[in-house]
Amino acid sequence: MTHVTAGRHGLATLAAGVLLAGALLAAGPAAAQSKSAPAPAGGYEMHDGHFHLTNYIQEGTDIREFLKLMGNRVGRVALFGIPLQQMWAHENTGDFAPTYYLQTDAPLYYYSFTDAWIAMAYKSLSPAEQARFDPMITGFNPADMYAADHIRRVLKTFPGVFSGIGEFSIHKEFVSSKIAGETASLMNPALDRVLDFAGEVGLVVILHNDVDMPFPKAGQDPYLVPQLRDLLKRHPGTTVIWAHVGLGRVVQPVKGQLGMIERAAAAPELSHVYFDISWDQVAKYVISSPEATQATADLINRYPDRFLFGTDEVAPKDQVGYLKIYDMYAPLFAKLTPETKQKVLKGNYERLFDKARRDVRAWEKANL
Ligand SMILES: [Zn+2]
C-alpha cells in the first residue's frame, strides 16, 4: 500500500518492477469502453495492476468517481480494498479517530467484509464499466488454515466478479506486527493452502512480502529471501505478482537486489512469478540516480514479459494524485524499448488478467 514520504535514500542499486508476461502484442480484448470515458483512438496509456479503492478504515473513493479519474488514460485496473481495519481504541487515542496504521498503537484486524464491498461496487456498474476492472479478494487471514475456504466462499457468493487474490501481506514493515492474533509467516501451511487453491482456480495472486526487515544490522541475514524463494518454488502452477519487488518505505533494496531479481527472472522454476513496480516508494529508488534508472531499465528490457506497472494509490481524490507515480517513472519509461514499455504498461496486464478471467469463470462454472 502506498503512501508517501520520505524514505531515506536511494541506493543506486535498486529497482525493479515487474510485469507480466507476454506474448501477445498489444492487444488483448479490448477493455470495453465506459460511456463515462470513451477509449481514446490510440488506446489507453496504461493499465493499473495495483490499486486500493478503500483505506485502512474501509473508506474511499466512490467507484463512479474513480472511473472519472481513470478517464481516457487508464484502461483497466486490478481493484481491491485493504484486508485490514485499523481499530479505533478509545483507551489508546481517546477521541482522536485514527485513519492510518501509523497513527495509533491499537491493533489491526482482518476485515472480510471488504470483499463484499468491492464486489457490490463492481456489480453496481454497467457491463462496459465492469470490463475495466479486475476485482481481487483480500479479506482473509493468511495465517488461518481456513483462509482458502474464505476465498472459495467469496467466489461462490459473487460468481463472475473476481480475477485474483491480493494484495495481501505476509511480512510488511510496521503492519505485520500490529495485526491481532497469530503472526503471518512464509512457512505457514495456511499460506500454502491459499496458493494451492489460487492455482487450482486460476486466480492471479498479488503478494506483498518485504525483501528484508526495516532496519537490519550490518551483515544481518536477509532470511526472507530464501523463505520467499522456497514458497514460490512450491507453487509452480500459481501466477504470483510480487508487489513492489519487496521494497518499502524504509525497507531498502538488499545488496544486489537487481541481480537477485534477474536470477529470479531467469530461473525456469520461477517462470510463474512476476514483479510489480508499483508504489512511489519503489519509484524513489529507481529514479534516485541516472545509474539506478539505467540499470533498472536494462533489467526490464531483458525480461519485458515479467514486469507490471501499478500505482498502489489508496482512495485517490484527483487524477493528478492518482497518476503521480506514472510521472515519477518518466525517466525509466524513456529508457525502455517501445515494445517493453507497451508490455510493462499494458500488454503483461492483459495477458495475465485475461487468462485469469477465463480460468476463474470456467472454474466457477464447473465447481459452484
Ligand atoms: Zn498496495
Side-chain angles (χ1 to χ4, degrees), residues 1-2 50-52 80 82 167 208 243-244 278 312-314:
M1 351 235 121
T2 251
H50 190 130
F51 176 72
H52 301 270
F80 33 97
I82 284 182
E167 177 196 31
H208 180 125
H244 330 304
S278 71
D312 196 21
E313 278 303 314
V314 178

Side-chain angles (χ1 to χ4, degrees), residues 29-33 75-77 122 126-134 357:
Q33 352 225 311
R76 287 167 63 178
V77 172
Y122 173 85
S126 70
E129 291 167 336
Q130 289 177 349
R132 297 180 65 182
F133 292 105
D134 288 284
R357 284 184 183 183

Side-chain angles (χ1 to χ4, degrees), residues 224-247:
L224 295 176
V225 175
Q227 285 184 15
L228 179 62
R229 177 200 61 208
D230 292 348
L231 173 77
L232 295 170
K233 279 180 161 182
R234 289 199 296 277
H235 301 280
T238 305
T239 298
V240 179
I241 299 172
W242 186 18
H244 330 304
V245 288
L247 302 179

Side-chain angles (χ1 to χ4, degrees), residues 152 195-203 237-238 359 363 367:
R152 176 188 288 269
L195 295 185
D196 281 344
F197 184 62
E200 175 194 328
V201 178
L203 294 158
T238 305
D359 291 351
W363 183 90
N367 292 279

